[in-house]
Structures are given as structure tokens and as C-alpha cells.
């Protein structure tokens, strides 16, 4: 879409004047800025005119228009991502002609007679829901079938984790490691950052990473199992000290000493900036004077009520006599 002098792309809200040129090279920056602002104002006005010429729908916030598809192809900011190398399973599935199909998340469990998840917590065919396992001829006598199932499941999980790490290594070698994957210590190069692997990590760097990992628990690694030859992590910060909840031997005067230290700082001669003694005395005198005045008014009111005659009570008594 365009006019005689301007090329307008409403899909990108962009306008361009192909016939514009400077008669001579600008000698001053002020002239160049002024000319750019003038030409930019004209282009923005042409975009606004083209927008208001489109069919619109009324809305409380104003007219709404649907922008057409962009006609100008803008370049990418970053390079195209490299294709991720296929995993062993993907190569095997392609060779055997296995196609991936979507499975239902809920499966009927014949053991409990209910619908359960296919994977995760409380899944179908869970080992915890099996009360009895039938013995086979190949089973060894005295072997626990439940422990055997648990060990086999652990081996499967370890094998899957090993395969996952192998796939990541293959992707790293091909330069197609996902950008969100961050490996420990000196991380492997991320896509687009560097082609060669970094230098070998030093002993100090590995100790720092191990120390951070060991203290990344609620107890600071106090109750974690130590590896053979592992040293205690270095604590570079300061420990925060608290007074004991139950005072033990030799600890009875700590709280009193702490309180006296604060009071001595407040009552010191050089503490006039912290505590304004004159202001405190003035406020005390004012409160004392108000309290004395209230008591005086209360006494005067009580004496005046005692001296007044009780006419109402006499009238009531005279009515009763009649």
C-alpha cells in the first residue's frame, strides 16, 4: 500500500520515502537532526492517515482497526538456530518405522477399578497398589519380589538419566545445545556464545562450587552426608548471634549487660542528639498540669451536686400522699 511519494507498510507500521535525498552533505549535526525530525513527522502523519482510512469498529476506548499482513520482510536479530541432532531413540524409531502417537493422560486401572494417571503420583499399575506378586519358575528362593521390582525401576531411571546426558553431549558437540540448559561449574558453551569448550576448571573453582552446593540446604549442610575426603565448607560471611532462650551457666547476665549498654548510650553526656531532655520534662509538666486541672473540676462538680435541693423527689412524695 502506498502513495505517490511514500511507501507505507501498515503491517509493520512503517513508512519510507525513496525519493528523499540531501542536496549536500549536512555540515552541522543540528541541521541533520532538524531535517530528520521534519521528515519523520511527515511519515508519521502519512501512517496516521492510512490507519484512519481503514474500516474500523467502534469501541468505548476508540475506533479499532485490523492491520493487514506485513509486506516488508525484516531481518532476524539473531542467527537461525542449528538443527538439534537426533537421539538414539529417534534414529531407532526412524529405522523401524515407529511413529509417535499421542497417548491419553488417564488410563483405567484394573487393580483398583478406577481411572488413574498414566505417569506420576498415584499412577496406573503402581507397585504400591500390588499386594501380592505371583511367583515364577525363574525366581530364586528367598528373593524379595518387591525389592527386586524397586531395584529394577531404579536401574531404569539411572539408564534414562545416562541417555539424557549423552544426548546433551551430542547436542553440545554439534553446537545445538538448548540455551536454557546450564551445566554446573564452568558451564559448557551455549549455542551462539563460543565454539570451543572452556578451559579446565581449577581446584579452587571446583571447591567453591562444591561449597555452595553443600550449604544450599535449610541446615546449611549440617545434616548432609559427607563424601569421603570432603572438607567442611568455608564460611566467608559473619555469623549472627542470638541470646539463648534458656539461660545456662555463665549466660545469666548477657541480656542485662546488653540492656545496660543501650541505656548508657542514651543517658551519656554526648547523647543530646538522641534524647531531648528539656522536651521530655516539658511534656511531663504539661501532662501533670492537665491531670491536676481535671481532678479539680471533678471535685467542684461533686460539691455543687451535693448542695442542690432535691425538688423532684418531694413532688413524687406529695403525689403519693394525695
Amino acid at each position: 500500500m502506498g502513495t505517490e511519494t511514500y511507501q507505507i507498510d501498515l503491517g509493520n507500521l512503517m513508512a519510507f520515502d525513496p525519493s528523499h535525498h540531501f542536496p549536500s552533505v549536512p555540515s552541522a549535526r543540528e541541521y541533520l537532526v532538524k531535517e530528520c525530525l521534519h521528515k519523520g513527522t511527515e511519515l508519521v502523519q502519512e501512517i496516521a492517515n492510512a490507519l484512519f482510512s481503514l474500516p474500523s469498529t467502534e469501541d468505548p476506548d476508540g475506533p479499532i482497526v485490523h492491520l493487514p499482513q506485513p509486506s516488508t520482510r525484516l531481518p532476524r536479530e539473531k542467527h537461525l538456530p542449528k538443527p538439534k541432532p537426533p537421539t538414539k531413540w529417534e534414529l531407532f524409531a526412524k529405522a523401524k518405522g515407529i511413529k509417535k502417537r499421542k497417548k491419553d493422560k488417564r488410563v483405567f486401572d484394573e487393580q483398583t477399578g478406577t481411572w488413574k494417571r498414566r505417569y506420576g503420583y498415584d499412577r496406573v499399575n503402581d507397585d504400591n497398589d500390588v499386594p501380592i506378586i505371583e511367583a515364577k519358575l525363574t525366581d530364586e528362593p528367598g528373593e524379595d519380589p518387591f525389592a527386586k521390582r524397586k531395584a529394577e525401576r531404579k536401574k531404569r531411571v539411572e539408564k534414562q538419566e545416562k541417555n539424557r546426558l549423552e544426548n546433551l553431549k551430542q547436542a553440545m558437540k554439534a553446537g545445538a545445545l538448548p540455551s536454557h540448559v546450564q551445566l554446573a561449574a564452568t558451564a559448557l558453551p551455549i549455542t551462539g556464545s563460543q565454539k570451543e569448550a572452556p578451559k579446565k576448571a581449577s581446584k579452587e573453582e571446583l571447591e567453591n562450587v562444591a561449597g555452595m552446593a553443600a550449604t544450599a540446604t535449610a541446615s546449611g549442610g549440617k545434616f548432609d552426608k559427607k563424601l569421603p575426603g570432603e572438607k567442611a565448607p568455608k564460611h566467608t560471611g559473619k555469623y549472627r548471634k542470638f541470646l539463648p532462650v534458656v539461660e545456662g551457666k555463665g549466660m545469666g547476665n548477657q541480656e542485662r549487660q546488653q540492656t545496660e549498654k543501650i541505656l548508657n548510650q542514651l543517658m551519656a553526656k554526648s547523647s543530646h542528639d538522641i534524647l531531648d531532655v528539656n522536651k521530655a520534662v516539658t511534656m511531663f509538666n504539661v501532662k501533670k498540669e492537665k491531670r491536676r486541672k481535671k481532678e479539680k473540676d471533678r471535685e467542684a462538680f461533686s460539691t455543687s451536686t451535693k448542695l442542690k435541693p432535691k425538688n423532684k423527689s418531694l413532688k413524687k412524695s406529695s403525689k403519693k400522699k394525695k
Side-chain angles (χ1 to χ4, degrees):
M1 180 178 180
T3 61
E4 295 180 357
T5 56
Y6 300 112
Q7 294 178 0
I8 301 176
D9 182 8
L10 288 180
N12 291 321
L13 293 178
M14 184 175 64
F16 176 66
D17 185 5
S19 61
H20 178 267
H21 65 280
F22 290 101
S24 61
V25 179
S27 58
R29 183 177 178 83
E30 290 78 9
Y31 172 73
L32 179 63
V33 172
K34 184 178 179 181
E35 184 66 21
C36 291
L37 290 175
H38 177 69
K39 180 56 65 175
T41 305
E42 291 182 0
L43 294 175
V44 171
Q45 184 62 46
E46 290 295 328
I47 294 174
N49 296 340
L51 282 175
F52 279 94
S53 64
L54 294 175
S56 62
T57 57
E58 294 298 330
D59 190 82
D61 298 330
I64 296 178
V65 297
H66 292 281
L67 297 179
Q69 291 295 328
S71 59
T72 306
R73 298 185 63 182
L74 300 178
R76 286 176 59 92
E77 179 184 1
K78 299 180 180 179
H79 60 82
L80 289 172
K82 295 182 180 180
K84 188 176 178 182
T87 61
K88 288 184 178 180
W89 165 252
E90 290 175 349
L91 293 173
F92 176 78
K94 185 177 180 181
K96 296 293 183 180
I98 302 173
K99 295 182 180 180
K100 187 178 180 180
R101 57 186 180 86
K102 190 175 181 181
K103 298 180 181 180
D104 296 331
K105 294 182 179 180
R106 293 279 179 173
V107 184
F108 184 77
D109 188 7
E110 296 180 357
Q111 297 178 2
T112 58
T114 57
W115 290 87
K116 290 190 174 184
R117 300 182 182 92
R118 185 182 292 274
Y119 307 107
Y121 172 74
D122 195 22
R123 62 185 180 277
V124 67
N125 297 328
D126 194 356
D127 295 342
N128 298 328
D129 297 336
V130 180
I132 300 172
I133 299 177
E134 295 182 3
K136 299 179 182 178
L137 296 175
T138 56
D139 293 344
E140 297 181 3
E143 186 179 19
D144 187 0
F146 294 98
K148 183 180 178 181
R149 273 196 174 190
K150 191 174 182 181
E152 290 176 353
R153 181 176 178 275
K154 187 177 180 181
K155 288 182 180 179
R156 290 197 303 269
V157 172
E158 291 176 353
K159 184 180 178 181
Q160 290 174 359
E161 181 65 17
K162 183 181 177 180
N163 292 338
R164 187 183 71 86
L165 295 177
E166 288 294 332
N167 293 332
L168 286 177
K169 289 180 182 179
Q170 294 295 331
M172 186 271 298
K173 291 179 181 179
L177 188 68
S179 59
H180 65 276
V181 176
Q182 297 293 336
L183 302 181
T186 53
L188 293 174
I190 300 175
T191 304
S193 59
Q194 52 184 345
K195 295 181 180 179
E196 298 180 357
K199 63 180 182 178
K200 186 177 179 181
S202 63
K203 182 180 178 182
E204 186 178 358
E205 291 175 347
L206 293 176
E207 287 181 353
N208 293 336
V209 173
M212 287 188 290
T215 56
T217 57
S219 62
K222 182 178 179 181
F223 304 104
D224 295 344
K225 188 181 292 184
K226 299 291 188 298
L227 297 174
E230 182 182 358
K231 296 180 181 180
K234 296 179 182 179
H235 186 81
T236 56
K238 294 182 179 180
Y239 288 97
R240 189 177 178 185
K241 297 181 179 180
F242 297 92
L243 292 176
V245 180
V246 180
E247 295 180 352
K249 186 177 180 181
M251 307 292 288
N253 295 328
Q254 283 195 2
E255 188 174 357
R256 186 177 63 184
Q257 291 174 0
Q258 189 178 19
T259 307
E260 288 181 355
K261 184 178 179 181
I262 297 173
L263 289 175
N264 290 334
Q265 291 177 354
L266 291 174
M267 302 305 294
K269 293 181 180 180
S270 60
S271 63
H272 57 275
D273 295 334
I274 302 174
L275 180 64
D276 192 349
V277 180
N278 295 330
K279 185 177 180 180
V281 172
T282 304
M283 291 179 65
F284 176 77
N285 292 334
V286 170
K287 289 181 180 179
K288 186 177 179 181
E289 185 66 24
K290 287 182 178 180
R291 194 184 305 111
R292 193 166 60 84
K293 187 176 180 181
K294 285 183 180 180
E295 292 178 355
K296 189 175 180 181
D297 294 341
R298 194 182 298 111
E299 290 176 359
F301 178 76
S302 60
T303 53
S304 62
T305 52
K306 288 180 181 179
L307 296 175
K308 286 183 179 180
K310 298 180 180 180
N311 297 329
K312 292 183 180 180
S313 60
L314 293 173
K315 288 180 179 179
K316 290 180 180 179
S317 60
S318 62
K319 286 180 180 179
K320 287 181 181 178
K321 289 180 182 179
K322 289 178 180 180

